[in-house]
Amino acid sequence: MQLFVSCACHMQVSMPNITIDDKVFSLYLPAEKIQHRVETMANMLNADLKGHDPVFIGVLNGAFMFAADLLKRIHGHVQVSFVKVASYRGTSSGLDVKRLIGLNEVLKGKTVVILEDIIDTGKTIEDILYQIKGFRPVEIRTATLLLKKDAYKSGIHIDYIGFEIPDRFVIGYGLDYNGYGRNLRNVYVLEDLKV
Ligand code: IMP
Ligand code: MG
């Protein structure tokens, strides 16, 4: 028997598949596996950040769940903030310009740890790093739950990686398709279209 939980038509859940609009996603990383890995990442950060004055910066919307689960396991005196990356078309260049919004903390002299949900080509994290550097922290570290290794084009070293995944579209645990799926505890992968 399949249990369907459906809403106004956008999302149907039949474990272990999720349907959002016209797309079917299958279970890829179960919640327990994610939690275990997040715990390991927190342990690494706790060890590495001893004696530092860290500010954790989560990148919204996607990183909210990863940041919450990770930060619950971070010990000691730390600051936490969240930013959004706003895209707009540069007036002079005509190119897409990304601007960080929502950052109120003083970063000068701090160790910044950027928390991302997923890194794909690396363009977004490059833009974020460039702008964070402008606030003159002493050090910037990067942590991401997921890295699409084969799609990654940037030379920037990512310090903490939860899972390296293939170049496939995923949802859940903060990640969305058309705005849906962020609340799911597991990560799901878009099933290949059968032609
Ligand atoms: P990048 O700039 O190519 O590294 O892309 C990073 C951003 O693209 C992420 O912060 C996500 O918003 C989005 N993204 C990339 N891959 C996925 C995916 O598989 N599912 C959902 N969002 C994704
Ligand atoms: Mg993101």
Side-chain angles (χ1 to χ4, degrees):
M1 190 185 83
Q2 281 199 320
L3 176 67
F4 282 100
V5 183
S6 55
C7 65
C9 86
H10 293 292
M11 193 161 131
Q12 272 202 332
V13 182
S14 86
M15 300 301 276
N17 283 352
I18 301 279
T19 303
I20 301 177
D21 294 340
D22 54 334
K23 299 277 189 287
V24 180
F25 297 84
S26 54
L27 183 61
Y28 183 61
L29 294 171
E32 299 69 32
K33 197 169 172 179
I34 297 171
Q35 292 302 320
H36 189 260
R37 186 66 189 144
V38 171
E39 170 119 39
T40 305
M41 294 174 85
N43 292 342
M44 287 190 240
L45 281 156
N46 280 324
D48 293 353
L49 294 174
K50 279 211 177 89
H52 290 246
D53 186 6
V55 184
F56 288 84
I57 300 180
V59 183
L60 294 174
N61 292 328
F64 78 97
M65 210 176 271
F66 172 50
D69 283 344
L70 182 90
L71 288 162
K72 279 183 271 185
R73 293 160 169 136
I74 295 292
H75 310 313
H77 229 57
V78 305
Q79 287 178 301
V80 176
S81 190
F82 287 91
V83 291
K84 266 201 167 195
V85 182
S87 287
Y88 61 97
R89 203 150 282 269
T91 43
S92 51
S93 63
L95 296 171
D96 246 12
V97 180
K98 291 198 173 122
R99 193 169 58 89
L100 281 190
I101 51 173
L103 193 64
N104 302 313
E105 280 66 20
V106 175
L107 301 184
K108 198 165 177 216
K110 305 273 186 172
T111 295
V112 171
V113 185
I114 298 170
L115 302 178
E116 263 287 22
D117 51 347
I118 189 163
I119 297 177
D120 186 350
T121 63
K123 182 78 185 71
T124 307
I125 194 78
E126 272 187 8
D127 287 344
I128 292 170
L129 277 170
Y130 178 77
Q131 292 182 63
I132 298 275
K133 271 184 191 152
F135 293 100
R136 304 258 170 261
V138 280
E139 195 188 338
I140 309 175
R141 295 180 186 219
T142 46
T144 187
L145 181 76
L146 305 173
L147 173 74
K148 289 187 184 172
K149 198 165 169 264
D150 297 334
Y152 190 59
K153 302 264 179 333
S154 170
I156 291 168
H157 173 74
I158 308 298
D159 301 292
Y160 306 91
I161 299 165
F163 301 92
E164 287 183 350
I165 65 166
D167 191 6
R168 304 268 303 274
F169 191 80
V170 289
I171 58 152
Y173 201 73
L175 293 152
D176 76 302
Y177 170 63
N178 283 351
Y180 292 91
R182 293 192 195 277
N183 56 313
L184 301 167
R185 295 158 50 84
N186 310 308
V187 168
Y188 297 81
V189 66
L190 179 62
E191 287 192 354
D192 283 332
L193 295 175
K194 300 196 175 49
V195 191

